[in-house]
Amino acid sequence: MPVNQDVIITCALTGAGDTVGRSPHVPVTPEQIAASAVEAAGAGAAVVHIHVREPETGAPSRDPRLYREVVERIRETGTDVVINLTAGMGGDLVIDPEAPLRQLPGTDLVSGLDRLPHVEELLPDICTLDCGSLNFGDGSNLYVSTPDMLRTGAKRIQALGVRPELEIFDTGQLWFAKQLLAEGLLDDPTVFQLCMGIPWGAPADAGVLQSMVNMLPRGAQWASFALGRMQMPWVAQSILLGGHVRVGLEDNLYLGKGVKATNGQLVERAVRITESLGSRVATPDEAREKLGLRQRP
């Protein structure tokens, strides 16, 4: 794979993890998330990946009203950035290991279509599609995304004209994403996000990433990220294998040991790494062209 000469930087602004109490820079309210998106775009991100949280508690949310407020606030600033909304919320299943049919607090499990109301309403440039189920961390927390759910979700996203970003946490999920393509439920160019280092999916290992890149369908656009201290090394790793990159507080809270980052600072660091490798940072318009995004009014 040749080094990627024109790199799309995505900034994942806040995520759904329990990070609010670990850094004062994790945005929580719609106003904060939108401001962080504008900051990231100004630093060089062509794409912002957006989750929302309950403003009072910081807990993850699927409320379309919160997504609407974030998107409207970003657009009101006139900031040129590609909007990528998560559609992965609604897949959490926490079971009692002694009584597995009993769901425990933390469960938020809905159908594939019920994960899409905000996508239906707002028609973002991109929404995510998490391409399989996963043992999510230690304990008894599962992320559930079955083949039936995925086929239903992919078909609806396709009908809406939104580009799905295919979230891949392990090789079997990539295998199934290619099956969706074969069934006509995805349009070219396919867009993949290879998610590394999330227990217990694909490890943040360069050899595993290379294997996954080798599995991608012809003509696919792809990016990859890894968690924590591996975030910035993975910027270089992805570019060297021909891919795009993702940084942001969803995946990593630090610039260095003990130094809390903002989203803008993480994007600035990714820009420096990109340029130090002799590559250039793609603009939002260039990202739209590469990713085959529809022009919207």
Side-chain angles (χ1 to χ4, degrees):
M1 284 283 181
V3 174
N4 187 4
Q5 297 297 317
D6 297 291
V7 177
I8 299 169
I9 297 177
T10 292
C11 186
L13 301 172
T14 188
D18 185 20
T19 55
V20 172
R22 294 165 52 199
S23 171
H25 303 304
V26 175
V28 173
T29 68
E31 183 177 11
Q32 291 169 346
I33 295 168
S36 199
V38 171
E39 176 196 23
V47 182
V48 287
H49 173 60
I50 298 170
H51 288 249
V52 293
R53 295 177 179 268
E54 294 294 340
E56 295 80 14
T57 66
S61 175
R62 292 188 284 110
D63 189 340
R65 294 172 299 174
L66 297 174
Y67 283 104
R68 185 188 319 124
E69 183 177 349
V70 172
V71 171
E72 287 176 351
R73 285 180 176 275
I74 294 170
R75 289 175 174 164
E76 284 169 0
T77 68
T79 299
D80 185 18
V81 70
V82 174
I83 300 292
N84 176 337
L85 299 184
T86 185
M89 303 297 292
D92 292 319
L93 173 61
V94 186
I95 65 170
D96 184 336
E98 303 302 322
L101 293 180
R102 183 165 59 137
Q103 299 178 6
L104 296 181
T107 294
D108 178 29
L109 185 60
V110 298
S111 72
L113 288 182
D114 286 338
R115 301 178 194 188
L116 296 175
H118 59 303
V119 177
E120 297 256 5
E121 176 185 346
L122 299 171
L123 296 177
D125 302 295
I126 301 169
C127 73
T128 60
L129 186 66
D130 291 43
C131 287
S133 301
L134 183 73
N135 286 329
F136 201 84
D138 286 328
S140 297
N141 190 358
L142 309 173
Y143 183 82
V144 178
S145 190
T146 68
D148 283 345
M149 289 175 174
L150 285 164
R151 287 186 172 98
T152 300
K155 184 176 182 179
R156 186 59 188 147
I157 293 167
Q158 186 180 53
L160 292 171
V162 174
R163 179 68 67 193
E165 181 183 78
L166 306 166
E167 306 291 293
I168 304 296
F169 294 86
D170 215 339
T171 51
Q173 298 185 8
L174 179 48
W175 184 10
F176 186 74
K178 292 168 69 175
Q179 179 63 27
L180 292 177
L181 178 62
E183 293 176 12
L185 294 171
L186 302 173
D187 298 320
D188 288 322
T190 47
V191 177
F192 288 82
Q193 183 70 254
L194 306 179
C195 311
M196 317 294 288
I198 294 92
W200 296 104
D205 177 278
V208 175
L209 179 60
Q210 177 70 78
S211 295
M212 295 172 80
V213 171
N214 291 344
M215 290 176 63
L216 291 169
R218 185 180 301 274
Q221 293 287 329
W222 68 274
S224 182
F225 71 89
L227 299 186
R229 65 182 182 84
M230 293 300 292
Q231 183 173 83
M232 292 305 163
W234 226 250
V235 170
Q237 188 65 69
S238 297
I239 294 170
L240 292 172
L241 289 180
H244 305 293
V245 303
R246 170 172 135 172
V247 295
L249 294 176
E250 176 171 349
D251 308 318
N252 165 49
L253 300 178
Y254 293 92
L255 271 180
K257 187 174 182 179
V259 181
K260 301 285 179 64
T262 68
N263 279 311
Q265 289 171 331
L266 293 172
V267 173
E268 288 170 355
R269 180 73 58 85
V271 168
R272 289 201 295 273
I273 293 170
T274 299
E275 292 176 344
S276 73
L277 293 173
S279 300
R280 60 180 294 277
V281 175
T283 67
D285 276 342
E286 290 168 336
R288 292 182 183 101
E289 183 176 356
K290 284 178 177 290
L291 302 178
L293 303 180
R294 294 187 181 183
Q295 294 297 320
R296 301 192 182 278

